[in-house]
Amino acid sequence: MTEALGFQPLATPDPLDLQRISVKILTDAPRTLDLNPFLVIFARWRTDTSQWVDLADYAHMPAGPGIVLVGRLCNFSFDLGSEAPGVLYTSKKGLDGTTEERLQSVLRSGFEMARVLASEKEFPAEARLRPGALELTFNDRLDTPNTEATDRLLRPAVWSVLDRLMGPGAYQGRPEVDPARRYGFSIRADHPPSLDELRARLKS
């Protein structure tokens, strides 16, 4: 009846206002990698005060946060934690749309910034990106605790985006099973794509 009168039914909103999501692209870098090149690169980026507000050096911490560029909408870092060192993009605010659209936005931004970083002349050759090895993490422990209820709510959207990114059945997504840790997945492509291929698959 409402459609006949010219009204459109309201879209069902997503149950969560997801903002804090991170994607990490693993690299071949050893944990002993000299992180000074990232300090040089990020110090240059830091001059764009419209986007970045701080630069933090945690290189002295074994398996720690590495070098972190703190932004208004996101943080970007070369991270030494988890399974292997890698390029870590973490959204903090500004996401909108459905859960799938937010995930795609985070991945697009993370891949684009990784591309720009890897193109810098100081980027270490031994830190070669592995675009087929990703870590996807939901950082809000209140809204997305690592529980079965969260998994039932978010896994369909995660799988839908990964199917588009890697191809249905062409990857393994291992969930983080420790409830004390953040909800997320370790993702491995069967046939590792290039970063450009991943970026192309997420274009609107």
Side-chain angles (χ1 to χ4, degrees):
M1 180 66 174
T2 56
E3 292 181 10
L5 294 173
F7 296 104
Q8 295 298 319
L10 293 175
T12 302
D14 267 13
L16 294 175
D17 180 21
L18 298 172
Q19 296 295 332
R20 294 189 282 275
I21 306 171
S22 67
V23 58
K24 181 176 179 179
I25 306 173
L26 302 188
T27 70
D28 290 332
R31 292 194 183 276
T32 56
L33 180 71
D34 179 8
L35 299 187
N36 280 325
F38 297 102
L39 273 176
V40 173
I41 296 168
F42 290 165
R44 189 162 58 240
W45 291 12
R46 168 72 176 82
T47 59
D48 180 3
T49 56
S50 66
Q51 184 172 2
W52 307 110
V53 298
D54 201 4
L55 176 59
D57 179 359
Y58 299 101
H60 60 283
M61 296 177 59
I67 309 298
V68 183
L69 191 57
V70 181
R72 301 182 187 280
L73 299 179
C74 68
N75 291 347
F76 189 61
S77 63
F78 191 84
D79 178 79
L80 299 177
S82 69
E83 181 177 331
V87 176
L88 176 64
Y89 174 90
T90 302
S91 70
K92 299 194 293 188
K93 60 182 179 179
L95 299 178
D96 57 18
T98 66
T99 297
E100 290 184 27
E101 289 169 340
R102 295 176 191 221
L103 287 171
Q104 290 179 42
S105 177
V106 169
L107 290 166
R108 274 195 299 267
S109 296
F111 294 159
E112 174 59 19
M113 292 192 66
R115 181 195 67 80
V116 174
L117 177 63
S119 69
E120 293 280 6
K121 61 181 184 298
E122 298 93 348
F123 187 82
E126 59 269 42
R128 186 176 65 87
L129 297 175
R130 298 163 52 197
L134 307 175
E135 293 178 354
L136 183 66
T137 307
F138 294 79
N139 296 309
D140 193 323
R141 294 179 184 269
L142 180 62
D143 284 342
T144 56
N146 196 357
T147 63
E148 290 185 4
T150 297
D151 190 56
R152 287 195 299 271
L153 187 64
L154 294 182
R155 191 183 289 230
V158 172
W159 256 222
S160 175
V161 172
L162 291 179
D163 282 352
R164 177 177 177 180
L165 190 64
M166 304 290 189
Y171 62 91
Q172 290 81 47
R174 185 178 74 246
E176 173 54 68
V177 297
D178 184 351
R181 298 176 67 86
R182 294 168 298 171
Y183 178 73
F185 297 88
S186 179
I187 301 147
R188 300 293 182 272
D190 294 343
H191 305 287
S194 70
L195 190 58
D196 285 341
E197 287 174 326
L198 294 182
R199 292 172 60 241
R201 292 169 190 173
L202 287 178
K203 285 183 178 178
S204 301

